[in-house]
Every structure is written in structure tokens, then in C-alpha cells.
Amino acid sequence: AAAREANGKVLVWGGSAVVIVALIAGLIVFRAQVVNLLPASQKAYAGLGLPVSALTIEKVHAEPAFQGGRPVLSVTGQLHNLRDAAAEAPALRVSLLDRFGKPVATKVARPIDSAVPAHATRYFAITLVDPPAALHDLQVTFEPAAKPSAVAGKPAGAPYRAKPAPAVK
């Protein structure tokens, strides 16, 4: 009877631990939706090093081409505002990565009109002249704010990675 009671306690504690871990994981994975429901929680996430942006980077596409006789890589995509209010789009950082995931070239582009209306989509196009031959992958992120802090090195939104299209010959 004592062994059965001990096994029951272990199952209850184990089940409770699984539920708590699942709840925490859900709060992290679905943090954009949590902040949409409870805007005050955005500061809590930022304090934990998990900033939440109202904007997402979507549908990134890279296309090699020639412009004025020089090779270029044209990167296009869209910014989508998830909230019910307008949001300011920060600068975008396009990083060209080698096969080890290390940046070999970077370009920061500031939007002409940074206001993105509620639930709207804004498109972007960034051209990188003479992309390096070591290009294997690319990453588009939001440029972090200039103010120094413990989380200043992390981008405001999740990065969007895309494989570039094959080179034009």
C-alpha cells in the first residue's frame, strides 16, 4: 500500500511538472498572441530577453540578377502587422551567410514610410550589389535599437531565413 501511494505521488508530481513545462513553452512559442491579448506582457517578455514585435517578416525571396552590368542579389518580402494598431517598422538587416552560418556581407535598409497600419502588409525590396561568392544562405531580421542594454544584441523579431535562388549565368 505504501509503494502504491508513493507511485501515485510520483505520477501526480510528474504530471504537474509536464503541465507546467508545456504551459511555459506555450507562453514562449505563442508570445505574439499573448502580447496581442495582454499588451502589458510585452515588457515582461523583453525583460526575459524575448522581445516581441508587432511585425513579422514573411515571404522572403532572393533572386540573383544583373543591374548596370554588375551582379546583384535582389531580396524581397513583406512586413505584416499582427496588431489592431499601427506599428513602426524598424530598419531591416539582410545578412548573407556562408555555409557555416557566419555573415559574409550585411546591408541595413531603412523604410521610406515606417508606419504599417493595423493588420496591413508592407512590401520591401533590398538590392545587394556584388554579393560574395561564398553565399550559401541569407537572413532578414529587424535591426536592433541603438540604445545599449542586455537584450540590445537580439533582433526585435524572429529572423527569417531563406535559401537564395541559383545564380544567373
Side-chain angles (χ1 to χ4, degrees):
R4 196 175 305 159
E5 186 176 317
N7 286 341
K9 287 182 181 180
V10 168
L11 286 175
V12 169
W13 281 105
S16 298
V18 167
V19 168
I20 290 171
V21 168
L23 180 63
I24 291 170
L27 289 172
I28 291 171
V29 171
F30 298 108
R31 65 183 179 261
Q33 289 82 358
V34 171
V35 169
N36 200 18
L37 293 172
L38 301 166
S41 65
Q42 185 167 6
K43 289 181 183 177
Y45 281 114
L48 294 172
L50 300 168
V52 180
S53 175
L55 300 171
T56 60
I57 301 169
E58 301 174 342
K59 299 182 182 175
V60 173
H61 179 72
E63 186 71 35
F66 287 97
Q67 190 175 57
R70 296 178 70 181
V72 296
L73 183 67
S74 176
V75 179
T76 59
Q78 60 188 33
L79 299 177
H80 182 77
N81 186 354
L82 302 173
R83 299 229 178 106
D84 294 329
E88 291 295 315
L92 291 174
R93 175 186 293 259
V94 177
S95 300
L96 303 179
L97 309 174
D98 65 11
R99 63 186 184 109
F100 302 109
K102 304 284 185 206
V104 291
T106 301
K107 181 172 184 178
V108 176
R110 303 203 186 309
I112 294 170
D113 180 11
S114 63
V116 182
H119 299 290
T121 300
R122 286 281 166 97
Y123 298 91
F124 65 86
I126 302 168
T127 302
L128 293 101
V129 180
D130 295 324
L135 173 62
H136 182 266
D137 200 2
L138 69 94
Q139 181 179 45
V140 180
T141 59
F142 292 115
E143 178 72 0
K147 62 182 180 178
S149 72
V151 295
K154 294 192 176 190
Y160 190 101
R161 295 188 113 174
K163 294 276 186 198
V168 175
K169 293 184 180 183

